[in-house]
Amino acid sequence: DKSSGKDAVTSFQKLAEIDQVDGIIGGVFDFIAQPLFPLAEQKKLTFISPTNFYIKGVLEPGNQSFVLYPPLETVIAELRGYYTLQSKEVQNAIIHYQSDFGKEITRTLQDIMNTQGKVLIEESYTTIGTGDFKTQIIKLKQQNVDTVFLDMLDMDIISFKKQADTLGFKAKIITYTTFKDVMASTKDLGVYEGTTMINWEVATKGFDEQYQKRFGKLPERGAVNSYKAVYVLADAIANATDKTRVAEYIASHSIKTPLGIVSFNTKHAIDSTPIEIVEVKDGRLTN
């Protein structure tokens, strides 16, 4: 899909009409999955987006679609305890990609700040993989920001860190599972010392070890749920009477995968997901 909603639609139509597949897994980002939900309804073809959350009003699966995460706000709210431990003088900010996903994170973090009588300083960006974030960092530095949440992809986090170091911006970084991409491509994790990650892709130690053995690196963002999605779709295709009943089978069954049982609620999302908050200490990621 080339990280493009337009290309995602073209690819979906090709798979549905030319390849005549029985189901599709994809839509890594919210803005890619959004146009595919109605398309799945139109084509009566099952679509699973393994890396997306349910977001009321903007990212709601239809009868033919599923997401492998619960409501995003419930997951981000797990950071409430972390922010509560801060002193009242700490200035918090977020830099997010301009998407509904980033906006929902911002809204939830602002709710957390409101309970503490704080204001969340917000900056956004619109181009993935090519920004240097100089303008945003200068603004945050001028406002004496102590902690910044990054809603960014792997190369963007790396670019942000390099620019922050160049500009002498020493704020603590908080991010999410996208940091796994950084970990997979960074030899010295020590340069990200103090970075905190809210990890909603908790897998068994065995999965991480087998993945590293096979591919020569730790699992990147999306690996865990994409693995689950393959098992869910394969099981449904094998047991449904025809391709038009695949989504119906998924919605009404608990499906066993090597990483646990997958069951969807009436919103075609997951009720909850394991979450851990970890930090880079002494060059290692620790709880």
Side-chain angles (χ1 to χ4, degrees):
D1 56 39
K2 304 174 186 176
S3 297
S4 159
K6 181 179 178 181
D7 286 321
V9 168
T10 300
S11 298
F12 193 104
Q13 290 173 326
K14 176 187 177 295
L15 291 169
E17 297 167 10
I18 297 176
D19 299 298
Q20 297 187 351
V21 299
D22 294 321
I24 294 175
I25 297 170
V28 174
F29 308 121
D30 60 316
F31 54 88
I32 297 175
Q34 281 169 327
L36 300 185
F37 287 165
L39 193 56
E41 293 296 300
Q42 178 188 332
K43 302 292 183 183
K44 300 299 180 186
L45 185 62
T46 302
F47 171 59
I48 302 177
S49 182
T51 54
N52 268 304
F53 291 80
Y54 176 91
I55 303 178
K56 185 177 181 180
V58 294
L59 202 62
E60 298 184 357
N63 291 330
Q64 297 290 326
S65 303
F66 301 85
V67 293
L68 273 168
Y69 281 119
L72 178 59
E73 63 178 342
T74 64
V75 175
I76 298 301
E78 292 290 325
L79 285 169
R80 188 178 301 276
Y82 176 86
Y83 281 107
T84 300
L85 293 174
Q86 292 180 338
S87 68
K88 291 184 177 180
E89 291 72 28
V90 172
Q91 289 272 47
N92 293 285
I94 182 173
I95 300 180
H96 66 86
Y97 181 68
Q98 193 62 261
S99 71
D100 289 316
F101 182 83
K103 292 175 183 176
E104 182 73 352
I105 293 177
T106 302
R107 185 192 67 77
T108 306
L109 290 181
Q110 185 62 70
D111 287 345
I112 294 173
M113 296 301 117
N114 287 341
T115 62
Q116 301 180 35
K118 294 181 179 181
V119 174
L120 180 70
I121 299 169
E122 177 186 1
E123 291 290 333
S124 64
Y125 70 107
T126 58
T127 305
I128 297 173
T130 59
D132 65 3
F133 305 104
K134 183 176 181 179
T135 300
Q136 291 93 339
I137 291 172
I138 289 175
K139 288 182 181 179
L140 298 186
K141 187 176 180 182
Q142 290 173 341
Q143 295 178 83
N144 298 314
V145 166
D146 302 290
T147 304
V148 57
F149 187 103
L150 301 183
D151 165 39
M152 295 181 179
L153 304 181
D154 56 341
M155 292 301 104
D156 288 336
I157 291 180
I158 292 172
S159 298
F160 172 88
K161 184 66 170 69
K162 289 180 178 178
Q163 188 65 260
D165 289 345
T166 298
L167 295 173
F169 182 56
K170 303 297 184 181
K172 178 178 177 60
I173 294 174
I174 303 178
T175 187
Y176 52 89
T177 54
T178 187
F179 191 63
K180 287 190 172 185
D181 297 343
V182 176
M183 293 169 57
S185 61
T186 301
K187 293 182 179 179
D188 180 17
L189 203 57
V191 298
Y192 294 94
E193 189 73 15
T195 294
T196 294
M197 174 179 73
I198 177 170
N199 179 24
W200 53 65
E201 292 188 359
V202 180
T204 64
K205 182 179 179 181
F207 179 82
D208 288 350
E209 291 175 348
Q210 290 184 51
Y211 189 100
Q212 189 167 29
K213 182 178 179 180
R214 181 166 182 178
F215 300 107
K217 59 182 180 181
L218 288 169
E220 296 178 59
R221 184 178 58 87
V224 173
N225 273 11
S226 296
Y227 192 77
K228 289 181 183 178
V230 172
Y231 274 85
V232 169
L233 187 56
D235 186 82
I237 290 172
N239 288 285
T241 53
D242 61 70
K243 68 166 63 179
T244 64
R245 307 294 294 274
V246 171
E248 179 184 325
Y249 181 90
I250 292 175
S252 59
H253 288 77
S254 296
I255 298 175
K256 184 179 180 180
T257 80
L259 293 177
I261 302 294
V262 175
S263 299
F264 294 93
N265 57 31
T266 56
K267 295 177 180 179
H268 285 200
I270 301 296
D271 286 323
S272 63
T273 190
I275 296 167
E276 62 181 10
I277 297 176
V278 293
E279 183 175 348
V280 178
K281 290 183 179 180
D282 299 324
R284 298 175 60 189
L285 203 62
T286 59
N287 292 320

